[in-house]
Amino acid sequence: MSIRARIFSVVGVVIAAAFLQTLIVLRVEDRRATAAAALDRSIWRLENQADLGRLIVELDASESDRLWRLYERTVALLPNVLNSPESKRELAAIDALVRDWRAAPPGDGRAAMMARIRSEFDRFATRERGRLREERIRVNSQSLQSTLLTLGIPAVAIVMLLLLVAFVARILLDPLAAIANSARQISGGSFDVTLPRESKDEIGDLVRAFREMITGVQRREREVTEARNKAEREHERLKATIETVPVALVILDAETGRIALRNRAAGALIGREPDDDAGREAYWGAFRVTTREGAPVDVRAWGAARVLQGQTIVGEELVVRHPDGREIPMLVSAAPLHEEDGRISGGVAAFQDITSLYEVDRLKSEFVSIVSHELRTPLTSIKGALQLLINEGLAADPDHSMLLNVALSNTERLVRIINDILDISKIEAGKLELNARPLAVADVVKQSIQNVDPIARGALVTLCTDIEAGVPAVQADLDRIIQVLVNLLSNALKAAPPRSEVTLAARSAGGFVAFSVTDRGAGIPPDKLGLLFQKFQQLDGANTRKARGTGLGLAIVKALVEMQGGAVTVESAVGEGSTFSVTVPEARG
């Protein structure tokens, strides 16, 4: 039976018992009231008997009509209150004697009759007083029973309530207390608990569920322990792996911005930051960071701030001057760490010392510069000799003339390649000198167009210019700015389809003049835009390349423009064309 059914049954029994007790009390009270009424009648009867006795005595003394009428009225009412037929017969016999006495003539006989009447009446009164005592005893007994019942019923109700509480405690409170105690033991880490026996009620269901919960918690605890041990092993492996990686790795905390974890290489490369905020700020402020070209970089731009703001850094070259005097070129990559809800919880950054790569690049550039310098002199002589043979018409036949022209074209191409290599070597070595002076924009545009006009006619492309009215003069090296624009125009002519247009435009741009070259070619994919200005980079493969070149042109353009205080940008859409823009400072007044 369920606990609910048990409690309802007990409550029903209590209600039924209370109802029965109420009926008993009402019955007892009714009997007591009846007995009390009978006692009252007996007392009233006794009083009437006494009145009747007094009237008989008074009649003996005086036989007035008034007394006789009172006697007749009293003797007529008294049988109504007599309880037994015997009493009524005795009263009737006494009344007959009184009437005989009244009818008898005066004399001794009459006095004897009155004596007898009074004797009979005394015996009658004595018997009635006895009956009154018996009725009084019976009424008192019933009153006592009623009182005892009245006091006993609440006592019985209290006992039943106590039994009900004990019953509820036994079937409900005691098991719940045992379960609560077991829960406290489990919260303390002990699973050796004693649970109540399983019954076929709600408490039994709770005990079974609690036992299943204990089993589930123990299983989960084992799983968590195994997972924690596995995670610790993996963590140790990861730490060992990170420690052996030659790249400096650090993990940043999002709340404090501090380095939460670093490997051995990171400690050797950037040291260990102080714990206090002031010392930490002074520590990082002692670093001096620049780009590879020497442009200063705010320490916050290569530290934790960018990563913790959600930015991702991929392969960014920086030169870090350590407070101890070391100058270390680094390749920086970093990414934020996200929680499941998208919140940034930290970041990871990798700093790779690329000093050896810089040295290799320097040796390569030096080697290329030496080789190129040594090749330019003989190539110049070869070019002069070929031009002389062609101009003098010394070729034996048209086939020889064609071969001489091919040789001259390839020689000129080799000379251009060597000149580009030497230019980029001078730029990287900081040996390229610029002669900046005020230049009219129209003259710069005109000379640049003239340099590539033959190439445009050969490619069946129309060259257009668009110079803003009132554009100011620029402060630049004439040869180098023309070299920049010619490089951009040459690339545009290579990309432009036949019978299309390439436009060279010039616009004022707030203290700068922006030159832009626009073509209607195939465009550049977004993922290739970052490779455009790197050395020896060409977007088409060697087997599919349509335009011949060294891949140094745009690198030279970027270097020359930045040396003159400007910048290079590119906008391109696949299938629509590209626009390369360079900014050059306005001429100083």
Side-chain angles (χ1 to χ4, degrees), residues 246-248 269 318 328-333 350-355 357:
V247 177
L269 192 63
L318 297 174
I328 306 172
M330 293 185 183
L331 190 65
V332 181
S333 297
F351 304 93
Q352 184 178 1
D353 185 351
I354 54 174
T355 302
L357 297 180

Side-chain angles (χ1 to χ4, degrees), residues 23 77 84 95 113 172 189 242 262 336 357 387 412 416 514 551:
L23 292 178
L77 293 174
S84 64
D95 181 55
M113 291 179 66
L172 184 62
I242 291 176
R262 78 189 73 209
L357 297 180
Q387 286 177 335
E412 290 175 344
R416 288 196 301 273

Side-chain angles (χ1 to χ4, degrees), residues 113-173:
M113 291 179 66
M114 177 56 68
R116 180 183 175 190
I117 290 171
R118 294 179 67 174
S119 175
E120 292 293 334
F121 188 83
D122 289 340
R123 287 194 296 272
F124 173 75
T126 300
R127 285 192 295 272
E128 290 301 317
R129 281 194 296 273
R131 291 190 183 96
L132 178 60
R133 285 195 298 272
E134 292 176 356
E135 289 182 1
R136 184 170 291 166
I137 292 171
R138 185 173 63 255
V139 169
N140 290 336
S141 175
Q142 290 179 350
S143 298
L144 179 60
Q145 292 177 3
S146 177
T147 303
L148 292 176
L149 286 173
T150 304
L151 294 176
I153 287 173
V156 171
I158 293 173
V159 171
M160 293 184 69
L161 287 176
L162 292 176
L163 292 175
L164 176 61
V165 170
F167 175 76
V168 172
R170 187 178 67 82
I171 67 171
L172 184 62
L173 299 182

Side-chain angles (χ1 to χ4, degrees), residues 52 69 76 98 103 134 166 181 273 276 286 289 326 340 343 358 394 415 449 469 480 496 506 508 560 582-584 587:
L52 185 61
R69 285 194 299 271
V98 172
E134 292 176 356
N181 184 54
E273 63 181 359
D276 59 296
V289 186
R326 291 178 295 164
E340 293 182 358
R343 181 174 55 87
Y358 268 45
L394 299 178
V415 171
I449 292 293
R480 296 306 178 183
S508 178
L560 290 177
V582 297
T583 56
V584 182

Side-chain angles (χ1 to χ4, degrees), residues 204-464:
D205 293 340
L206 179 60
V207 171
R208 283 187 291 274
F210 200 83
R211 201 181 302 279
E212 292 172 0
M213 183 199 70
I214 293 174
T215 304
V217 170
Q218 290 175 323
R219 184 175 62 253
R220 291 294 179 85
E221 186 180 35
R222 288 194 298 271
E223 293 174 354
V224 169
T225 302
E226 293 174 358
R228 183 172 61 250
N229 294 336
K230 183 179 179 181
E232 290 176 354
R233 291 193 298 271
E234 295 297 330
H235 179 69
E236 292 300 324
R237 293 194 189 104
L238 181 60
K239 284 180 61 178
T241 302
I242 291 176
E243 287 297 329
T244 58
V245 170
V247 177
L249 295 175
V250 296
I251 296 178
L252 309 168
D253 180 66
E255 294 184 1
T256 62
R258 295 176 178 270
I259 295 176
L261 181 66
R262 78 189 73 209
N263 64 353
R264 188 180 296 107
L269 192 63
I270 61 176
R272 181 176 295 277
E273 63 181 359
D275 294 331
D276 59 296
D277 293 338
R280 180 168 162 264
E281 184 175 356
Y283 177 79
W284 290 112
F287 284 86
R288 294 293 178 268
V289 186
T290 63
T291 63
R292 184 171 184 174
E293 292 76 18
V297 176
D298 188 350
V299 67
R300 291 171 294 182
W302 72 284
R306 290 171 62 189
V307 176
L308 298 182
Q309 290 173 358
Q311 300 183 29
T312 300
I313 304 170
V314 179
E316 191 173 276
E317 290 188 30
L318 297 174
V319 178
V320 178
R321 290 172 178 82
H322 203 275
D324 60 8
R326 291 178 295 164
E327 184 173 298
I328 306 172
M330 293 185 183
L331 190 65
V332 181
S333 297
L337 300 175
H338 295 276
E339 298 286 352
E340 293 182 358
D341 57 359
R343 181 174 55 87
I344 296 177
S345 60
V348 59
F351 304 93
Q352 184 178 1
D353 185 351
I354 54 174
T355 302
S356 59
L357 297 180
Y358 268 45
E359 182 63 19
V360 170
D361 191 47
R362 186 190 65 79
L363 293 174
K364 180 192 70 175
S365 298
E366 185 177 339
F367 172 77
V368 171
S369 177
I370 293 172
V371 172
S372 299
H373 184 75
E374 295 297 327
L375 288 176
R376 186 162 63 173
T377 299
L379 283 174
T380 302
S381 300
I382 294 171
K383 177 183 176 182
L386 291 172
Q387 286 177 335
L388 179 61
L389 291 174
I390 293 171
N391 293 336
E392 295 295 330
L394 299 178
D397 51 48
D399 291 337
H400 287 93
S401 178
M402 180 191 68
L403 291 174
L404 289 174
N405 283 309
V406 171
L408 179 60
S409 175
N410 283 291
T411 302
E412 290 175 344
R413 179 169 176 268
L414 284 174
V415 171
R416 288 196 301 273
I417 292 173
I418 290 173
N419 286 335
D420 286 344
I421 293 173
L422 292 175
D423 285 343
I424 200 71
S425 298
K426 289 179 181 179
I427 292 170
E428 290 179 349
K431 296 179 180 180
L432 184 66
E433 297 181 359
L434 298 178
N435 182 23
R437 57 189 177 88
L439 300 174
V441 171
D443 292 340
V444 173
V445 171
K446 180 180 179 181
Q447 294 186 49
S448 299
I449 292 293
Q450 288 175 349
N451 273 277
V452 296
D453 186 60
I455 301 174
R457 288 197 301 271
L460 301 178
V461 176
T462 303
L463 291 173
C464 300

Side-chain angles (χ1 to χ4, degrees), residues 466-478:
D466 182 12
I467 303 175
E468 182 183 54
V471 65
V474 295
Q475 186 79 13
D477 184 297
L478 178 61

